[in-house]
Amino acid sequence: MSSPAVSVRSLSDCAVGDELPESIVPITRALIVAGALATRDFQDVHHDAVQAVERGSKDIFMNILTTNGLVGQFVSAWAGPAATVRRIKVRLGAPNYPGDDMHLSGTVSGKDGDTVEVTVRGRNSLGDHVKGTVTVAYESSGAR
Protein backbone atom coordinates (compact mmCIF):
# COMPACT_ATOMS: atom_id res chain seq x y z
CA MET A 1 0.00 0.00 0.00
CA SER A 2 1.38 3.39 -0.87
CA SER A 3 1.49 5.72 2.12
CA PRO A 4 0.20 9.27 2.20
CA ALA A 5 3.01 11.71 1.41
CA VAL A 6 1.99 14.18 4.10
CA SER A 7 0.50 13.44 7.45
CA VAL A 8 -1.30 15.81 9.75
CA ARG A 9 0.54 16.10 13.05
CA SER A 10 -2.00 18.10 15.06
CA LEU A 11 -5.63 19.16 15.06
CA SER A 12 -4.71 22.68 13.96
CA ASP A 13 -3.05 21.28 10.81
CA CYS A 14 -6.35 20.26 9.20
CA ALA A 15 -9.48 22.04 8.02
CA VAL A 16 -12.83 21.03 6.59
CA GLY A 17 -12.37 20.46 2.87
CA ASP A 18 -8.75 19.27 3.09
CA GLU A 19 -8.11 16.28 0.85
CA LEU A 20 -6.01 13.31 1.92
CA PRO A 21 -3.34 12.16 -0.53
CA GLU A 22 -4.58 9.15 -2.51
CA SER A 23 -3.29 5.73 -1.51
CA ILE A 24 -3.27 2.79 -3.90
CA VAL A 25 -3.65 -0.71 -2.48
CA PRO A 26 -2.77 -3.60 -4.83
CA ILE A 27 -5.39 -6.29 -4.26
CA THR A 28 -3.47 -9.54 -4.22
CA ARG A 29 -4.65 -13.06 -3.52
CA ALA A 30 -2.28 -13.11 -0.53
CA LEU A 31 -3.78 -9.89 0.91
CA ILE A 32 -7.32 -11.26 0.61
CA VAL A 33 -6.50 -14.62 2.19
CA ALA A 34 -4.23 -13.17 4.91
CA GLY A 35 -6.83 -10.52 5.79
CA ALA A 36 -9.57 -13.12 6.09
CA LEU A 37 -7.42 -15.40 8.25
CA ALA A 38 -6.18 -12.53 10.44
CA THR A 39 -9.77 -11.51 11.14
CA ARG A 40 -10.82 -15.13 11.77
CA ASP A 41 -13.17 -15.10 8.78
CA PHE A 42 -12.96 -18.64 7.44
CA GLN A 43 -15.71 -18.28 4.82
CA ASP A 44 -14.54 -20.17 1.75
CA VAL A 45 -15.32 -17.23 -0.59
CA HIS A 46 -12.28 -15.45 0.87
CA HIS A 47 -9.73 -18.24 0.25
CA ASP A 48 -11.08 -20.95 -2.07
CA ALA A 49 -11.52 -19.80 -5.69
CA VAL A 50 -13.44 -22.93 -6.73
CA GLN A 51 -15.96 -22.51 -3.91
CA ALA A 52 -16.25 -18.75 -4.56
CA VAL A 53 -17.11 -19.42 -8.23
CA GLU A 54 -19.59 -22.13 -7.26
CA ARG A 55 -21.30 -19.56 -5.04
CA GLY A 56 -21.62 -17.08 -7.93
CA SER A 57 -18.50 -14.94 -7.59
CA LYS A 58 -15.85 -14.60 -10.29
CA ASP A 59 -13.06 -15.28 -7.74
CA ILE A 60 -12.25 -14.94 -4.06
CA PHE A 61 -12.93 -11.45 -2.68
CA MET A 62 -11.89 -9.25 0.25
CA ASN A 63 -13.88 -9.38 3.48
CA ILE A 64 -15.28 -6.31 5.22
CA LEU A 65 -12.92 -6.54 8.20
CA THR A 66 -9.87 -6.29 5.93
CA THR A 67 -11.47 -3.31 4.20
CA ASN A 68 -12.11 -1.69 7.61
CA GLY A 69 -8.47 -2.19 8.54
CA LEU A 70 -7.21 -0.67 5.29
CA VAL A 71 -9.53 2.33 5.66
CA GLY A 72 -8.44 2.84 9.28
CA GLN A 73 -4.76 2.60 8.37
CA PHE A 74 -5.23 5.08 5.49
CA VAL A 75 -6.75 7.72 7.76
CA SER A 76 -4.39 6.98 10.68
CA ALA A 77 -1.30 7.42 8.49
CA TRP A 78 -2.61 10.81 7.38
CA ALA A 79 -3.78 11.96 10.83
CA GLY A 80 -0.46 11.26 12.53
CA PRO A 81 0.58 9.80 15.88
CA ALA A 82 -1.40 12.26 18.03
CA ALA A 83 -4.70 10.95 16.63
CA THR A 84 -6.72 7.91 17.64
CA VAL A 85 -9.37 6.31 15.44
CA ARG A 86 -12.66 6.49 17.33
CA ARG A 87 -15.10 5.22 14.73
CA ILE A 88 -15.17 3.66 11.29
CA LYS A 89 -18.51 3.47 9.51
CA VAL A 90 -18.47 2.01 6.01
CA ARG A 91 -20.68 0.47 3.34
CA LEU A 92 -19.36 -1.99 0.80
CA GLY A 93 -20.09 -1.89 -2.90
CA ALA A 94 -18.16 -3.60 -5.71
CA PRO A 95 -16.01 -6.54 -4.56
CA ASN A 96 -12.22 -6.29 -4.33
CA TYR A 97 -10.92 -9.15 -6.49
CA PRO A 98 -7.28 -10.23 -6.88
CA GLY A 99 -5.35 -8.43 -9.61
CA ASP A 100 -7.11 -5.08 -9.15
CA ASP A 101 -6.09 -1.95 -7.23
CA MET A 102 -8.13 -0.07 -4.64
CA HIS A 103 -7.65 3.70 -4.78
CA LEU A 104 -8.35 5.22 -1.36
CA SER A 105 -9.21 8.90 -1.12
CA GLY A 106 -10.61 11.08 1.62
CA THR A 107 -11.77 14.57 2.53
CA VAL A 108 -12.05 16.23 5.92
CA SER A 109 -15.82 16.60 6.24
CA GLY A 110 -16.12 17.79 9.83
CA LYS A 111 -14.19 19.18 12.75
CA ASP A 112 -15.65 19.50 16.25
CA GLY A 113 -13.56 20.11 19.34
CA ASP A 114 -10.77 17.53 19.37
CA THR A 115 -12.33 15.32 16.69
CA VAL A 116 -12.10 15.25 12.92
CA GLU A 117 -14.38 13.36 10.57
CA VAL A 118 -13.00 12.14 7.25
CA THR A 119 -15.24 10.97 4.42
CA VAL A 120 -13.49 8.09 2.63
CA ARG A 121 -13.90 6.31 -0.68
CA GLY A 122 -12.15 3.22 -2.02
CA ARG A 123 -12.68 2.48 -5.69
CA ASN A 124 -11.50 -0.28 -8.01
CA SER A 125 -12.03 -1.05 -11.71
CA LEU A 126 -15.62 -2.15 -11.00
CA GLY A 127 -16.61 1.04 -9.12
CA ASP A 128 -16.82 2.00 -5.49
CA HIS A 129 -15.70 -0.80 -3.19
CA VAL A 130 -16.19 1.17 0.02
CA LYS A 131 -17.63 4.51 1.12
CA GLY A 132 -17.94 5.85 4.63
CA THR A 133 -16.57 8.00 7.40
CA VAL A 134 -13.74 7.73 9.90
CA THR A 135 -13.70 9.80 13.07
CA VAL A 136 -10.35 10.50 14.72
CA ALA A 137 -9.72 12.24 18.04
CA TYR A 138 -6.60 14.21 18.83
CA GLU A 139 -5.11 14.12 22.30
CA SER A 140 -5.57 17.38 24.13
CA SER A 141 -2.72 19.46 25.52
CA GLY A 142 -0.07 16.77 25.05
CA ALA A 143 -1.36 14.50 27.86
CA ARG A 144 -2.14 10.95 26.84
Side-chain angles (χ1 to χ4, degrees):
M1 179 162 132
S2 61
S3 298
V6 176
S7 96
V8 171
R9 296 297 175 192
S10 71
L11 183 63
S12 62
D13 292 332
C14 66
V16 172
D18 285 353
E19 292 186 16
L20 283 65
E22 182 179 75
S23 180
I24 300 172
V25 181
I27 306 302
T28 64
R29 198 166 291 281
L31 174 63
I32 293 169
V33 173
L37 293 175
T39 59
R40 301 180 59 84
D41 183 345
F42 304 115
Q43 294 293 316
D44 51 21
V45 294
H46 303 305
H47 63 84
D48 185 329
V50 172
Q51 288 294 318
V53 170
E54 285 180 6
R55 293 175 187 261
S57 181
K58 76 173 197 174
D59 203 340
I60 63 171
F61 55 90
M62 185 174 286
N63 72 349
I64 190 169
L65 294 173
T66 303
T67 298
N68 276 349
L70 292 170
V71 166
Q73 192 279 330
F74 169 65
V75 174
S76 292
W78 166 80
T84 302
V85 172
R86 296 291 181 182
R87 178 179 177 187
I88 298 175
K89 184 178 180 184
V90 297
R91 288 185 151 267
L92 293 182
N96 265 340
Y97 290 120
D100 208 345
D101 291 328
M102 180 171 59
H103 296 254
L104 288 165
S105 59
T107 304
V108 176
S109 53
K111 192 172 173 182
D112 183 22
D114 290 344
T115 64
V116 174
E117 183 177 86
V118 177
T119 299
V120 296
R121 177 181 177 212
R123 68 189 191 293
N124 61 36
S125 66
L126 300 174
D128 288 333
H129 168 67
V130 64
K131 286 184 171 183
T133 57
V134 178
T135 304
V136 295
Y138 283 85
E139 61 186 55
S140 39
S141 305
R144 249 188 216 239

